[in-house]
Every structure is written in C-alpha cells, then in structure tokens.
C-alpha cells in the first residue's frame, strides 16, 4: 500500500482538542492495526510527512515518536522509519482448547431454548408467536422520550454515577408506594431493584439453594425458573398446576422432602394462564406457615387482566412472612428496561445485595431514572388501561382464529389475563413434529416440553397473542393451522405414541 | 375513619380510559391496603356511595362487586358491606429465621467494602476520595440528551424488546470496529456486551473456576476481582506488581500450581497506576504461551492517559490466543451506563452467553442503544481528549496539594493515567488509624488492605483525583493532612508495629 494514498485521504482537525501529532499517530496506528500498513512497510521521512500533511516538522516527529513508544514502528539509523513486527513469533503452540477449560456445562436439555426464542425475535420473515413480549407498537415511547433528560432539576448528573446495589433510592420509594396500594405493605428497605425478575430468580438461587436441595415448581411452569434452579443442581419436585392446586400432594412433598422453596405464579400463570382463587391462596399460605415453607411468588402479569381484577397476591395475604415476591416492568412496559424488583424482609435484601454486587455492582441507572420519572408522572395506570383493552381484543381475535383454523387438532382454555394461549394437541399429533412443520410455513411457538421439569408436555404448546396486530396474528394462526393439517395427514394412523427413547448402541 | 371524609377528597376522571367503577374500586382498595379503612369498617350502602360520588348506582354496585371478588370486602345480607379480614389468623408461628436459611456467606473479609464505598458516594457532607468515579459535572449529558430518542428512524420500538444475550448487535459492530483501531483485531462475534466489566469478571469466574482452582492476581489489585474470585472459592496467588513484574516468580507459580487464570491490569493499574512496558508485555505473553496460561486483561483506564499513549494491550499483542479482554464505558463516560464488554474467542462468548441468560437475559437496551448512537456520532474521542486535559490538571493539582499538606507522612508516585494516587504512609502510621481520623474530619479513601488478597497494605491507601473540581479536592487533601498530623502526633513513639492478631480467649 502506498503510504501517500492513505495520507491523501487524511483530514486533520486543527481546532480539535486532540493535538495534531496525536491525530496523525492515531490514523497511522489504525492503518497499522488493520493491516493496511503491514510489518516492514517503510514510512515517509519526517520532513516529507510534514509536507504531505501541511504540518510542522515537530508535529511529524512527535507523531513518529508516539508510534515508536508504542512499539508500532522502529527507526533504523540512517535508513528510516518502518512498521514493526507486532507479535514476534513464539514457539509454535496449538490453539487453546477452550471448551476443555470450562466448568461443567449446566445440565439442562433446555439450556438454549430461552436464548433461541429471544434471538428468533429478530427473524423478520417469520411470525414468532413464541416470545412473551408486549407489542413494540404499544410501548409508551413518546412518554419516555418526553421524560428523558439526564439533567433534570431534581437529580442532576450525580445519579449517573454509582448508586447503591439495592437500586436507585427514589425509584425504590416510588415502587414501594405503588406496591403498598396493591396490598404488599412494603417499604423502600424491603424493595430491591434487579435487572429483570430473571435476576431476582438468580439471586434467590444463589442465596437459598445448595446442590441437592429440593425446590417445588408448578408443572408446567416458567422455563427460565426451571433452568436457573437446574443449573444450581437443585432437585425439582413438580406439582401439577393445571386445575385445582393439589394441596394434599404439596403437603406430602413438604413432609417427605423438606423443600427449600416453592416457586409459584398464582396469577395468569405462565404458560397455562391459571388464576389461583382467593380461598386456595389462603389455604396454601396456611400450609406454608404450618410447614415453614418459603414461597417465591412471581407475578409479571398480575396487572394485565382482561376481565375481573385477580385476587390479592400471596405476598399481600401472607400471614406469617414467608413469601418473597418478584415483579417486573418487562410485560407492563417493555423488556428493554431490564428492570424488575424483589420484595422481601430486609435481612434477605441485604444478602441479595451482597451477591448482586459481584454480578454487576448495580442495575442500569438510565432505566431506573426513567422509570422513576414515569411512575411519579402517574403514567403507568393509564398505559395499563390502554394495553388491557387492546390485548383483550387480540385475545378474543386469536381465540376465534384458533377455533377456525386449528380445529379439531388443537384445544385451549380462554386466558383471563397475561400473554398466552396454552394449547393441547390431539389426534396423535406431537408438538415436536408440529414445530418443524410450522417453521417451514413461517410461524413459531414454544413447545410444551420447555415448561416441564420432568419429561411431559409432548402434546402441548404455548402461543403468545399480544406481540402483533391482528392481521399478523391471523396470518400466524393460519400458518399454524396449515402446519397442523399437514402433520395430521402424515400421521393419520390415529394412534401414534410418544417416540420414546432410542438406545444408542 | 369516617368513610365520607375519604370520599369527599375523591376526584374521579370521567374521561379516563379506566372505567369509573374501577377508579372507585382502586381508591377504596388503596385505603383498605394502607390501613385507613381497617378490617370491620362498614362501607356506605351502594345508593349512598353513588350519591356521594355523583355516579350511577350500577357503577357503585360494580365497584363493590370488584372489591368482593378480591376478598377485600364481604357483604352480610340485610346488614351491608364491610372491609374483610385480610389475613385470617394462623396458628402462631415464630418469625422466619431468614439468615439460617441462607447458603454460606462468601468468606471474604472485604465483602462489603465495595458496597460501602459506592453507598458513601451519596454522603454529601463529606468528601469521598474513595470511589473510582469520573466527575459527574463532566459527564456528556448534553450529548446523550440530544441523542436520546427511542423512536429514532434506524431502530424503532423493536430494539426495546428482548435482544440477544450477547448484546445489541449494532453496538457490538460499532464496538468491534473501534477496538480494531486499537489493535484488538476483533469481530462482533468475539465481542460481547456485559453489565459493566464487573459482570465480565463474574462470567469468567462462573465459566472457568471450580472451588480450589488457582488464580494469579497482581498484588495489589482491583478489590472487586479479589472478591469475585474469593466467593468462587478459588485460591489466590499474589504476584507483586509495584515494580517490574517478577516473571521468574510467575513461572514458578505456573510450574508449581498450574493456575487457571492470571488476572492482570497492565495499563494504569488499579490501584497503583503502573504501566507495564511493551517489552515486559511481550515476555509475559511468551511465558503464557509456553505454559498455556489464560490471561484475563482488564483495561478500564487505557484511554485515560495524561502523557504518552500507553503501549498496545496484551490482547492486541497476544501471539497465541490465550487472552480474554475486559473493558468498560464506566470510566470513560459514566458508571450509570452499566455497559462493559468482553473480547474472547467465539466458543468462550457462547458459553458466557449461556451463563448470562440465567443472570439477567441481557443487559439494558437503553444504555446499549444510547452508546451505539454515541459511538456512531463519533463523539467519544473528543470527549476523551477533553477529560484527559481536565484530569491531568487535577492530577497535578492534587500532587502538589499532597506534597504540601501530607508531607512527610505520605509519599506517592505520579500516575501517568487512570484515576488514582497510590500512597504509602510512613512514620509508623497505619491506614486503619488514619481512616477513622479522616472520617471525623470529613474525607474518605480506600485503605490499602482492600487491594490485597493476602494481609498486606496496612500502610497504603488509594485516593481518587478525578471526581471533584479543584476546590473540593483541595479541601479533601487539607482534611486528610489534618487527620495525618493528628494520627502522627498520637503515635509519635516512632516505632509502632502492625497491631498483630489478638487471640480471643
């Protein structure tokens, strides 16, 4: 590469705060680093460089000196300046066998499903009904744009430095006040901000679970919870959650295994949409008190109801103080905020903060500042009223589309809130077959197996009904229906058992 | 509480998207939950409620029905509506002994120092020279305010939903391009966004370290690194880092212990400000290649130089591919972004992403979007040139203040970059004594012990010189000097050994 060609294109900024010699050194460094000027290239003499760029000779000398100090060029007396050999050859070493150096991989067969679902959101030629995301078109971006100002009078730049691990204090106050109106009776000290409720789950795992500990989960339950408990090497006890909660079986587990935690989503359960009735909540709490059970209550969807408001949360009803509550703004507003919360006794919050500081010091101030402004501007309730109306329409629309295009192979119960239809396949169709066929027609969903800690769910699937406007939802359901009919016709033996485990010999 | 007093103050919003009956139910719910309307309170008959609020009787009936469904009120036939007993008494249960339920506390004596330092930043009547934070007055908030728009043409609302765990792809592209000009030769696939470089360290720990594994750290080194390695139950090998890096001792460690990692900050080391010369970097890398050592290079301060640009990073010079590089925007811009990065082979990035999804799914989109806009608007280099000039002035100012007010008890070497003076006490003064005296005079710093994995540093301390304007820095150093003189006079026996360990009998 002819050096003068590079220098011809150079535009120096004499008025910049960066001295000219540094600007020149930076340009040459970039060209050396990206290989345009390979090792051994001869650079023009200082006088010539100065002339080419219209700078003083001192500037040219300083630029070369800087490069020399960095080891990027070397000067041979009487010969000139040359680009240096950056990495002197070492004795030949094989490539690092990275994966051999890793700790054992978390042993869950579902390890990457969640990530794949998230990644698939960016696939544009398909209609992914898998991810549990609000519709981007409904995000209150105008409100956030209006609120955003890092120099706002009440806070100033200080709030963009380090803040306490437990969260931005004004947000903790505003959130605790809001939760108190929901019956939580919490204080800022009992309310900690986390990077999405996923991080709350992670902290709970770190603080309460040792390998071999038992954890009760609903069956089906949230995929991310199964994963995080599994990677902590906890043993999962599945409690069927489709109909009435089997309190007798729960008590059996409590006596038999002394589990550390019960992870439950009592309101608009993910995936099955179930709402636990008030009386059942009370009986669960009495049982928990009797057996000293710690309950982790996850409630991302409680305010997204499409009919009657659901009963009070377990945390609000808790008579003995054994409930840790998780919440998030991801479903009410948008996931990119990465802001959730944990409500727990102060002792627990203190220990969570100790763990969280190792993980990320604290969560993003930008999100916390914006949420504080949003809450104090009293915008959330109107937004919730708006999305409830819209999502209710979509739920009813998808229900009728499913009946029209997916019968008789798929059945479901109408969810009273949340984001999902939990569907059951019949006629000997299995979800995995359908998943592949659906991918071909350009639609996706989450296979039921993802929501079970044991090997169940092979004829179930979850569809999210909120992420798209009606025309796209319709197209998605039509494609699903097409895939269903194709699979049904290819497996019309009527009886087709689960494929089973094939021994590898 | 007279219910009519509450209702008198009620302002209903007939034009709101929230139906009137729901507004009424919400107000009553809040008053029940916050205790204004205790259990047993009688509510006015529906007709009376309707009259009081100027709504239809149907609206009043619907409001009560909603409360009843939530279990907040109960209707006694022929008597009226009463606030219900929320939490029926359970058989008396002692308070949950939370701390007994926790996993063992991470066993580092320094566990909470980092958090205390961060929390102390909000103490306004003191001058904390402890935290390593840029000056909030220099944050480029105007640029960020100008850039912020969630509806920007090139992205739209979609980027506020879930994004891949590895980071916002446009930012990974922009960052990889920037790092390439610094000699890293990285690609977006090799560049992962994390919630501050602290999270990079945490991921490295999760993926590489099992209990009992050896990790080499410089001595002194970054407090947060000592903590995160310690909580993973790694064994730390301390390598003196004040003068020339002792490569012979390093090789001894490599042969003797086969350590998993060497964590090193070769440029403007925290706390001691040392810059490893180019030739030493090359020899370290050759030794690493020979013994197959994995190096974790942390470089938060590399672009904050106040004289000559430092040598190329280890990652840029690495001839065998065994370096994992960490970086962050916290020191260059502001910590509240909580955005850092890891550069590593794709195999390693994939495994990091697997772990990170359990921790928080992905980092804040808001920060990542803003940083992408900031980088592509080409604003970072000018900002860096600006803060370099300003921080250099402050460094020189603090150096002369230290000489004036803290001699002869405190000595230091002038740092060529970064944020800190690393100071040594003499005349038999120990840092812990000074810390208490300094707290009384209203100034803080980080005691040297915090930076050692072994029990050293009892006569050293770290002072940050960038966070405040000169007048406050001056006041801080004056206070430090006053504390020093007080301590010196109270310990003027001349020889005062380390207090030693007192057996507890």
């Amino acid at each position: 590469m002819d050096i003068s060609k590079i220098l011809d294109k150079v535009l120096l900024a004499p008025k910049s705060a960066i001295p000219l010699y540094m600007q020149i050194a930076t340009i040459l460094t970039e060209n050396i680093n990206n290989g345009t000027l390979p090792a051994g290239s001869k650079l023009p003499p200082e006088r010539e460089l100065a002339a080419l760029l219209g700078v003083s000779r001192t500037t040219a000398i300083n630029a070369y000196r800087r490069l020399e100090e960095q080891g990027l060029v070397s000067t041979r007396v009487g010969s000139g300046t040359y680009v240096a050999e950056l990495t002197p050859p070492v004795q030949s070493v094989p490539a690092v066998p990275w994966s051999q150096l890793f700790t054992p991989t978390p042993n869950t067969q579902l390890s990457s499903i969640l990530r794949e679902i998230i990644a698939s959101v960016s696939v544009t030629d398909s209609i992914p009904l898998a991810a549990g995301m609000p519709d981007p078109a409904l995000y209150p971006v105008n409100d956030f744009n209006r609120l955003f100002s890092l120099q706002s009078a009440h806070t100033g730049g200080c709030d963009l430095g380090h803040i306490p691990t437990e969260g931005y204090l004004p947000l903790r106050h505003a959130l605790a006040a809001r939760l108190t109106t929901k019956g939580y009776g919490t204080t800022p000290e009992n309310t900690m901000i986390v990077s999405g409720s996923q991080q709350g789950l992670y902290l709970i795992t770190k603080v309460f679970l040792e390998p071999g500990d038992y954890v009760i989960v609903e069956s089906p339950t949230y995929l991310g919870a199964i994963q995080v408990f599994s990677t902590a090497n906890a043993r999962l006890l599945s409690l069927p959650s489709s109909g009435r909660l089997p309190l007798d079986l729960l008590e059996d587990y409590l006596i038999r295994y002394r589990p550390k935690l019960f992870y439950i989503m009592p309101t608009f359960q993910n995936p099955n949409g179930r709402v636990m009735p008030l009386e059942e909540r009370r009986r669960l709490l009495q049982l928990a008190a009797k057996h000293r059970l710690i309950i982790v209550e996850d409630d991302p969807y409680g305010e997204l109801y499409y009919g009657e408001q659901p009963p009070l949360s377990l945390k609000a009803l808790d008579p003995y103080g054994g409930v840790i509550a998780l919440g998030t703004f991801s479903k009410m507003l948008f996931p990119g905020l990465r802001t959730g919360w944990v409500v727990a006794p102060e002792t627990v919050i203190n220990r969570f903060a100790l763990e969280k500081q190792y993980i990320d010091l604290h969560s993003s101030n930008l999100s916390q500042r914006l949420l504080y402004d949003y809450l104090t501007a009293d915008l959330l309730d109107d937004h919730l009223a708006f999305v409830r109306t819209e999502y209710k329409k979509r739920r009813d629309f998808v229900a009728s589309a499913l009946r029209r295009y997916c019968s008789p192979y798929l059945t479901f119960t109408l969810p009273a809130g949340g984001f999902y239809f939990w569907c059951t396949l019949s006629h000997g169709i299995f979800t995995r077959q359908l998943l592949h066929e659906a991918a071909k027609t350009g639609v996706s969903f989450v296979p039921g197996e993802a929501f079970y800690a044991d090997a169940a769910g092979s004829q179930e699937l979850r569809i999210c009904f909120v992420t798209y406007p009606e025309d796209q939802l319709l197209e998605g359901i039509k494609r699903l229906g097409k895939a269903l009919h194709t699979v049904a016709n290819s497996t019309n033996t009527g009886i087709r058992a689960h494929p089973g485990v094939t021994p590898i010999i």
Side-chain angles (χ1 to χ4, degrees), chain A residues 411-434:
Chain A
T411 54
F412 60 88
T413 313
L414 195 73
F419 281 9
Y420 312 108
F421 280 94
W422 180 239
C423 310
T424 304
L425 299 175
S426 54
H427 295 70
I429 302 174
F430 287 88
T431 316
R432 290 208 168 186
Q433 303 167 285
L434 181 62

Side-chain angles (χ1 to χ4, degrees), chain A residues 97-177:
Chain A
W98 287 103
S99 55
Q100 306 284 327
L101 308 179
F102 295 163
T103 52
T105 313
N107 63 348
T108 155
Q109 54 172 24
L110 304 167
S111 285
S112 57
I113 292 186
L114 200 63
R115 277 180 61 223
E116 278 171 25
I117 290 168
I118 289 174
S120 76
V121 174
S122 56
V123 175
T124 47
D125 53 339
S126 170
I127 299 176
L129 303 178
M133 258 170 51
D135 183 350
L138 304 186
Y139 296 164
V141 286
N142 287 332
D143 287 332
F144 276 89
N145 280 337
R146 195 161 46 74
L147 290 171
F148 188 87
S149 169
L150 297 179
Q151 302 233 80
S152 64
H154 61 88
T155 48
C158 286
D159 288 346
L160 302 174
H162 282 302
I163 57 172
T165 308
E166 294 87 344
Y168 181 54
L169 197 56
L171 177 61
R172 292 170 75 199
H173 274 273
L175 185 57

Side-chain angles (χ1 to χ4, degrees), chain A residues 109 428-433 449 454-460 494-502:
Chain A
Q109 54 172 24
I429 302 174
F430 287 88
T431 316
R432 290 208 168 186
Q433 303 167 285
E449 291 161 80
D454 40 13
S458 61
Q459 290 193 292
E460 291 170 310
I495 312 157
R496 170 142 175 170
H498 187 279
V501 177
T502 309

Side-chain angles (χ1 to χ4, degrees), chain A residues 36-59:
Chain A
T36 311
L37 291 172
S41 309
K42 187 176 181 187
L43 298 180
E46 290 141 1
R47 200 180 300 271
E48 196 179 314
L49 180 70
L52 270 165
L53 294 173
V55 297
S56 74
R57 192 166 163 229
T58 312
T59 299

Side-chain angles (χ1 to χ4, degrees), chain A residues 125-128 436-444 475-476 479-480 483:
Chain A
D125 53 339
S126 170
I127 299 176
H436 290 287
E437 194 59 39
K440 283 189 227 161
T441 66
V443 66
S444 71
E475 178 58 28
R479 290 181 189 179
L480 182 66

